[in-house]
């Protein structure tokens, strides 16, 4: 009897230790989407439609705040605006809005919220999927920035990108340099530009992707993670125990770096219904080219077609010297996609890096910036320091 009491006392103490050391997991958030999550955490969002020059219809969410300079957040590959909102009350848009920031969250073409076009049908027109991060930068990011400027009447905004969401800024800043002046500061979380140092499995897959791409194109597959595929991934990856073991431990952590303390099984069950979201095959082919060709350049169509598209047998490189916006960079030591050596190369090539931080946490991986259980402790001070510094200037 005594022993049982002792055991149950231990269990109570243990559960308290566990519950104070890791934030509450709100399991219903798995099935809530951007607007519902925004309401639940106290900041009802307004939704805008952004129409790009080439006809894509993008969703843009706004959590109104009183501070003058708005903050725009851009998600990475296979993401949506939701990936920023999965950590309940420590989600970045919520924490920013709680501090009075006027927060805008974008969605790039092809994802769940931006799978629309004025005349192309994503389900029947392959031309809808004829884009990569190049078009997301040149057309989507520019139109999104212009919409925020138009709605708020400001001249400049603060911006935060994660992963491929950062690439869009280097593309836009180099192809349309006039946009540099519209950005007060750009905070690059886990930046993606050079992919020279990625390791197996990512590097192996990058080598294999062009062949796979040919096959999928022949099979008339141009969209990755369409709704039926996404739903199968969700069902499998949210299975108890085995879902986490295979989808996170074996697959996701191999790509992004292992950090089970920050990205736990309970959290993964919330994340998988939201990720991966749809995107074009061409986007992944272009990403693979960054590794295979070891340059940050436009899409490589092959020798003959390059001549027709670019008037040159090789695709033009993006000129990072033209990306003159102030950039604050942070990268994790254990980030297997944004390898520190590659981020160093980016840092050397950008002319206006105002802050650079390699996270002191050894386990900091590629998704801890958006999904880490304690990112409010190890990441947000960096973000707030930069935003505060640039709200004065
Ligand atoms: C978030 O919510 C939890 C539980 O509801 C609460 O204990 C915590 O203080 C909240 N944190 C913030 C930053 O509001
Ligand atoms: C895709 O876009 C490129 C560049 O804009 C163009 O040259 C090519 O013909 C397009 N391909 C298809 C299948 O629409
Ligand atoms: C194509 O490139 C050549 C030299 O590289 C240049 O002389 C020519 O004017 C270019 N043509 C066009 C249409 O830009």
């Amino acid at each position: 009897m005594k022993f049982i009491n002792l055991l149950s006392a231990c269990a109570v103490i243990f559960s308290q230790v566990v519950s104070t050391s890791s934030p509450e997991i709100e399991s219903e958030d798995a099935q809530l989407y951007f607007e519902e999550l925004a309401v639940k955490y106290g900041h009802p969002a307004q939704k805008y439609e952004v129409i790009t020059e080439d006809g894509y219809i993008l969703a843009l969410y706004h959590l109104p705040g009183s501070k003058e300079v708005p903050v725009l957040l851009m998600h990475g590959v296979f993401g949506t605006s939701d990936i920023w909102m999965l950590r309940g009350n420590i989600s970045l848009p919520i924490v920013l809005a709680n501090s009075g920031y006027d927060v805008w969250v974008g969605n790039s073409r092809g994802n769940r919220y931006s799978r629309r076009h004025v005349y192309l049908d994503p389900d029947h027109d392959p031309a809808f999927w004829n884009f990569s991060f190049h078009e997301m930068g040149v057309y989507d990011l520019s139109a999104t920035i212009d919409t925020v400027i138009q709605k708020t009447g400001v001249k400049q905004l603060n911006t935060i990108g994660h992963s491929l969401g950062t690439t869009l800024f280097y593309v836009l800043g180099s192809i349309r340099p006039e946009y540099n002046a519209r950005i007060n500061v750009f905070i690059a979380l886990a930046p993606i530009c050079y992919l020279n140092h990625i390791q197996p499995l990512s590097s192996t897959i990058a080598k294999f992707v062009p062949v796979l791409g040919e096959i999928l194109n022949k099979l008339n597959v141009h969209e990755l993670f369409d709704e039926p595929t996404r739903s199968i991934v969700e069902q499998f990856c949210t299975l108890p125990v085995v879902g986490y073991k295979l989808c996170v431990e074996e697959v996701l952590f191999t790509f992004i770096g292992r950090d089970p303390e920050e990205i736990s099984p309970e959290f993964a069950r919330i994340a998988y219904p939201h990720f991966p979201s749809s995107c074009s095959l061409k986007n992944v082919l272009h990403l693979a080219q960054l590794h295979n060709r070891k340059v940050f350049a436009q899409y490589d169509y092959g020798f003959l077609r390059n001549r027709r598209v670019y008037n040159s047998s090789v695709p033009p490189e993006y000129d990072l010297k033209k990306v003159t916006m102030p950039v604050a960079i942070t990268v994790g030591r254990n980030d297997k996609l944004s390898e520190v050596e590659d981020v160093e190369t980016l840092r050397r090539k950008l002319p206006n890096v105002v802050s650079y931080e390699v996270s002191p946490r050894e386990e900091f991986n590629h998704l801890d910036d958006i999904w880490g259980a304690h990112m409010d402790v190890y990441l947000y001070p960096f973000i707030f320091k930069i935003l505060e510094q640039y709200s004065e200037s």
Side-chain angles (χ1 to χ4, degrees):
M1 194 62 201
K2 280 241 167 63
F3 181 69
I4 301 274
N5 284 345
L6 189 65
L7 262 187
S8 69
C10 284
V12 168
I13 291 166
F14 181 74
S15 70
Q16 277 170 357
V17 167
V18 167
S19 71
T20 50
S21 69
S22 73
E24 298 270 314
I25 295 283
E26 289 277 341
S27 44
E28 71 165 13
D29 290 7
Q31 301 307 329
L32 300 181
Y33 293 92
F34 195 92
E35 283 164 278
E36 297 154 312
L37 291 167
V39 167
K40 177 169 170 184
Y41 295 104
H43 295 274
Q46 295 160 353
K47 185 178 184 180
Y48 293 95
E49 275 183 357
V50 176
I51 302 184
T52 67
E53 278 163 57
D54 56 347
Y56 287 80
I57 305 171
L58 316 174
L60 172 63
Y61 289 109
H62 180 206
L63 280 53
S66 56
K67 291 205 180 172
E68 197 187 323
V69 186
V71 186
L72 170 67
L73 275 57
M74 293 304 297
H75 65 80
V77 67
F78 303 128
T80 66
S81 47
D82 296 353
I83 54 118
W84 300 102
M85 290 290 266
L86 303 179
R87 272 295 178 187
N89 60 2
I90 68 152
S91 299
L92 186 57
I94 299 302
V95 172
L96 288 171
N98 284 344
S99 308
Y101 283 95
D102 192 50
V103 183
W104 297 75
V105 191
N107 283 286
S108 293
R109 60 184 60 194
N111 84 16
R112 181 206 293 271
Y113 294 112
S114 298
R115 210 176 162 283
R116 289 172 67 201
H117 189 278
V118 291
Y119 59 86
L120 294 172
D121 176 351
D123 292 319
H124 297 105
D125 297 318
F128 179 93
W129 299 102
N130 186 16
F131 64 81
S132 74
F133 57 79
H134 178 83
E135 287 76 13
M136 295 177 183
V138 174
Y139 300 117
D140 298 355
L141 182 57
S142 58
T144 301
I145 288 173
D146 288 341
T147 304
V148 176
I149 287 179
Q150 187 208 336
K151 300 287 174 199
T152 56
V154 297
K155 289 202 174 63
Q156 286 196 316
L157 49 148
N158 294 325
T159 53
I160 302 176
H162 173 249
S163 181
L164 195 73
T166 69
T167 322
L168 316 183
F169 287 84
Y170 322 131
V171 169
L172 181 63
S174 60
I175 300 283
R176 293 184 162 179
E178 66 274 21
Y179 275 86
N180 285 293
R182 297 177 206 178
I183 292 170
N184 189 40
V185 68
F186 167 47
I187 302 176
L189 310 175
I192 292 287
C193 184
Y194 295 95
L195 291 178
N196 302 359
H197 290 88
I198 53 170
Q199 305 290 315
L201 199 60
S202 309
S203 57
T204 323
I205 287 182
K207 293 273 177 333
F208 183 63
V209 156
V211 179
L212 185 68
E214 292 281 331
I215 298 170
L216 290 175
N217 269 325
K218 292 226 162 66
L219 294 173
N220 214 17
V221 173
H222 306 285
E223 175 183 9
L224 297 179
F225 297 109
D226 61 359
E227 189 47 35
T229 317
R230 191 208 59 76
S231 165
I232 292 167
V233 171
E234 174 186 337
Q235 282 168 36
F236 183 75
C237 293
T238 53
L239 287 174
V241 188
V242 62
Y244 185 78
K245 184 101 198 77
L246 290 176
C247 295
V248 180
E249 291 272 0
E250 300 296 334
V251 178
L252 193 64
F253 282 166
T254 311
F255 285 108
I256 66 163
R258 203 182 129 73
D259 194 1
E261 275 184 31
E262 291 297 299
I263 299 176
S264 66
E266 296 73 34
F267 177 75
R269 279 200 288 278
I270 291 179
Y272 267 104
H274 299 270
F275 178 91
S277 187
S278 48
C279 108
S280 66
L281 171 63
K282 187 175 177 181
N283 191 30
V284 173
L285 290 171
H286 196 177
L287 262 169
Q289 288 176 3
L290 294 183
H291 174 71
N292 296 338
R293 301 187 61 240
K294 308 273 187 281
V295 286
F296 184 50
Q298 293 191 42
Y299 192 81
D300 186 4
Y301 290 99
F303 188 81
L304 291 176
R305 269 189 71 201
N306 283 343
R307 282 224 159 275
R308 281 210 305 275
V309 178
Y310 306 117
N311 187 27
S312 152
S313 54
V314 291
E317 284 188 43
Y318 295 104
D319 186 357
L320 290 175
K321 285 197 298 296
K322 293 186 175 159
V323 185
T324 55
M325 65 185 84
V327 186
I329 295 176
T330 176
V331 59
R333 259 172 225 287
N334 184 33
D335 189 329
K336 300 288 181 223
L337 285 178
S338 311
E339 289 280 355
V340 173
E341 289 103 314
D342 290 332
V343 177
E344 289 280 352
T345 308
L346 170 66
R347 173 203 193 182
R348 275 200 309 277
K349 297 211 174 193
L350 286 172
N352 196 6
V353 175
V354 294
S355 183
Y356 175 71
E357 185 181 283
V358 179
S359 162
R361 256 191 84 240
E362 282 301 326
E363 305 81 12
F364 199 123
N365 71 15
H366 192 68
L367 292 176
D368 284 344
D369 295 279
I370 52 170
W371 288 354
H374 303 94
M375 58 191 174
D376 53 335
V377 177
Y378 58 70
L379 175 68
Y380 291 1
F382 177 83
I383 294 178
F384 275 86
K385 187 187 77 190
I386 303 291
L387 290 178
E388 277 155 27
Q389 202 176 318
Y390 277 83
S391 64
E392 290 150 18
S393 57

